[in-house]
Amino acid sequence: VTGEPVLRGRRARLAWEADCLERERREARIVLAFGGVLIPAWALFDLLLEPQLARPFALLRTVGTAACWGAFVALRGERSLARVRAVVGGAVALAGATIAVMLPAVRNFSAYLFGFSLCFWAPGALLSWRVRHALGLSAWLLAVAAAAFALWPGRGLADLVTAGFYLASAAVVSTGMTFAHRRAMYRAFEASHLLERRNAELERALERLGDAQARLVSSEKLSAVGRLLAGLSHEINNPLNVLHNNVEPLREHLARLVDAARVAGAGDPAELAALRARWAELDLDWITADSLDAIDASRVAVDRIRQIQRDLRVFVRGDAPEMVLADVNEGIRATAALLARRLPDGAALSVDLSPLPPIRCHPGQLNQVWHNLLQNGLDAIGERGAVTVSSRLAGDRIEVAVVDTGPGIAPEHRARLFEPFFTTKDVGKGTGLGLATSYQIVQRHGGAFALDPTHAGGARFVVELPVAAT
Ligand SMILES: Nc1ncnc2c1ncn2[C@@H]1O[C@H](COP(=O)(O)OP(=O)(O)OP(=O)(O)O)[C@@H](O)[C@H]1O
Ligand SMILES: [Mg+2]
């Protein structure tokens, strides 16, 4: 009924009060400053109309102005809503009483009263007093004015009715203003509260999303590593077999050589013939040649395993939480090398890298991006075709492009490429997270990631990364 908000909780109530106090102080200053101009102006107007009343109106002007400005000064230090209202109420009452006292001397009564009554109620309306306060003030002023007017000799009933009419219309106008103002304030307050709550909810949701995203990125990384390792285990198996198959014969060869060396070590030249016989018997010519071959093969096998291990170490970099200075090319090279190990005969993966300055980045995460792009390219070309990754410096940005000779991307799929879980691959083959996570990783690096729409034949993805100012 009062137009006040139904607010649950003490804090909401206090916030509402503080909000009101702030507004009312601001508005009270405007109203009082307005009154400070209007009252003297009105008095001046009457002064011009009725020169014989110059002295009383000079008095009225002085009192009205003093009341307004006194209230204005007092208001600046007020700290509570109730006192703001008390000061404004006091000022209005004082001005009202002054005018009531002066009323009987005024001839142009109705217009005068109408102007002033609006002036009285305006503060009430603007200061959003409770409706019953505004009505009470209206009734009070109406009573004072009517009594003073009726008591003064020489006034007729018609004058009284006109005055009552004007006063009542002013009361209705101001009451309407009070209602409207109150409601608008409540709406604004509620909207701001609602917004605040929504904001808090959104913030929480964002936090949860951030966590989920971090989990997705790391699980995507794990799955990429898993797929790579599945391919590489075969790749490591071959050199391991070579080592395994060579170690036993090498041991036997060595035993025979040691045997022959022992005969030679006996040192008797007469036994040279026996040594030769033994040499032939042990087939040492073949054994030495085969041993060298076995050692060569083993060395190659060990080199391959070491290279795989090195590439893997570059690829699976455990990233620290903060960015580090790193060469992007190094990661691209290692990732491509890992993927290139088990390609079908008709497929090729080539690397064309220009020298780049080191940039601040999470190298392990960027490797995830290169892996996703290259793997997608390799998936797209299948048994036959080529995937090329190139890097270059373009102004203050590093540009990495991955091009393939596959079928390209259907126009209806283009808009959905970076959507999480969007995949055209069979269940179990693709999760649809590759491009989505890559996009987020590039964004976190302040870069850009897009499909080149102008490229004809196959797909061309371009990643741009800013060169860190270090
Ligand atoms: N080079 C490309 N050529 C053709 N289509 C592509 C290419 N790269 C991506 N796509 C399309 O975009 C889809 C989404 O790719 P994305 O890497 O996000 O997921 P995915 O490869 O299907 O699965 P995941 O990478 O998680 O194993 C793919 O299913 C494929 O249809
Ligand atoms: Mg993919």
Side-chain angles (χ1 to χ4, degrees):
V1 175
T2 58
E4 292 214 2
V6 185
L7 293 167
R8 273 171 245 294
R10 196 164 158 271
R11 277 179 58 189
R13 184 79 226 176
L14 283 180
W16 156 254
E17 283 279 333
D19 201 35
C20 285
L21 180 63
E22 194 41 51
R23 278 158 195 267
E24 295 195 6
R25 283 170 68 180
R26 205 171 45 232
E27 287 163 356
R29 268 172 232 150
I30 297 168
V31 168
L32 290 175
F34 176 68
V37 174
L38 193 75
I39 290 180
W42 203 271
L44 192 67
F45 169 73
D46 274 325
L47 199 63
L48 291 176
L49 276 182
E50 299 166 88
Q52 77 276 19
L53 294 173
R55 261 222 267 138
F57 280 109
L59 176 69
L60 170 70
R61 186 174 59 218
T62 312
V63 172
T65 313
C68 287
W69 285 102
F72 178 59
V73 171
L75 259 183
R76 292 159 63 114
E78 279 319 320
R79 301 231 175 275
S80 82
L81 204 58
R83 286 190 61 185
V84 170
R85 286 176 177 164
V87 170
V88 177
V92 171
L94 186 60
T98 314
I99 287 162
V101 169
M102 296 308 299
L103 271 180
V106 179
R107 219 174 284 146
N108 191 7
F109 177 72
S110 305
Y112 190 88
L113 204 56
F114 183 53
F116 262 121
S117 56
L118 271 184
C119 179
F120 293 144
W121 279 298
L126 282 173
L127 285 171
S128 56
W129 279 326
R130 288 187 178 143
V131 177
R132 64 168 187 276
H133 291 179
L135 283 173
L137 184 66
S138 312
W140 177 78
L141 277 170
L142 188 64
V144 171
F149 187 70
L151 286 176
W152 196 255
R155 299 284 187 192
L157 185 66
D159 276 346
L160 188 63
V161 171
T162 322
F165 171 72
Y166 279 126
L167 279 170
S169 29
V172 167
V173 169
S174 64
T175 306
M177 280 165 75
T178 309
F179 265 123
H181 184 265
R182 192 90 194 162
R183 185 148 288 184
M185 257 179 79
Y186 178 54
R187 289 250 168 83
F189 177 76
E190 226 187 17
S192 77
H193 244 235
L194 216 73
L195 261 184
E196 236 168 60
R197 232 180 29 224
R198 285 268 156 78
N199 266 354
E201 271 165 21
L202 275 180
E203 248 163 46
R204 274 201 301 278
L206 202 67
E207 248 167 48
R208 281 203 298 273
L209 262 183
D211 286 352
Q213 184 192 343
R215 276 201 299 276
L216 264 187
V217 169
S218 62
S219 79
E220 212 276 335
K221 178 168 186 165
L222 270 183
S223 86
V225 171
R227 260 175 293 169
L228 259 182
L229 285 183
L232 287 177
S233 71
H234 176 87
E235 192 54 29
I236 294 174
N237 203 33
N238 283 346
L240 275 181
N241 277 342
V242 171
L243 284 177
H244 179 79
N245 294 340
N246 280 321
V247 165
E248 198 48 32
L250 258 181
R251 207 187 68 84
E252 279 168 24
H253 293 359
L254 206 64
R256 289 195 209 181
L257 280 172
V258 167
D259 195 10
R262 227 178 258 134
V263 175
D268 192 344
E271 285 189 18
L272 201 58
L275 176 64
R276 287 225 177 88
R278 186 90 182 117
W279 188 273
E281 187 190 318
L282 290 173
D283 202 4
L284 286 184
D285 280 333
W286 179 82
I287 293 253
T288 38
D290 192 52
S291 299
L292 289 177
D293 284 350
I295 286 173
D296 283 347
S298 302
R299 207 170 51 201
V300 170
V302 169
D303 280 350
R304 286 181 76 174
I305 293 177
R306 282 187 58 191
Q307 191 54 46
I308 291 175
Q309 185 265 348
R310 246 182 249 142
D311 290 343
L312 260 180
R313 208 180 50 201
V314 173
F315 179 75
V316 195
R317 278 183 73 145
D319 278 345
E322 67 279 356
M323 297 197 175
V324 293
L325 266 187
D327 182 8
V328 169
N329 279 342
E330 195 186 328
I332 298 176
R333 202 177 288 121
T335 311
L338 287 173
L339 284 169
R341 286 177 196 280
R342 285 196 69 207
L343 290 181
D345 287 341
L349 199 170
S350 46
V351 178
D352 171 22
L353 306 175
S354 317
L356 298 176
I359 63 165
R360 280 209 169 278
C361 61
H362 293 294
Q365 294 188 8
L366 286 183
N367 289 344
Q368 226 175 315
V369 176
W370 317 137
H371 175 263
N372 283 328
L373 284 177
L374 291 173
Q375 185 65 58
N376 280 350
L378 292 173
D379 288 347
I381 60 171
E383 297 286 314
R384 191 155 294 281
V387 176
T388 309
V389 53
S390 58
S391 70
R392 68 186 185 104
L393 188 64
D396 57 350
R397 289 169 94 72
I398 283 175
E399 191 186 281
V400 179
V402 177
V403 192
D404 65 65
T405 57
I409 290 151
E412 67 269 23
H413 290 159
R414 290 188 180 188
R416 305 190 56 196
L417 282 182
F418 299 111
E419 215 173 83
F421 304 111
F422 171 74
T423 180
T424 55
K425 294 172 190 170
D426 296 336
V427 178
K429 264 214 94 184
T431 59
L433 282 175
L435 289 179
T437 20
S438 302
Y439 186 84
Q440 286 166 2
I441 291 171
V442 173
Q443 275 217 322
R444 271 205 299 271
H445 282 79
F449 183 9
L451 172 74
D452 181 354
T454 57
H455 184 73
R460 181 172 187 267
F461 284 92
V462 182
V463 173
E464 281 183 5
L465 296 168
V467 176
T470 45

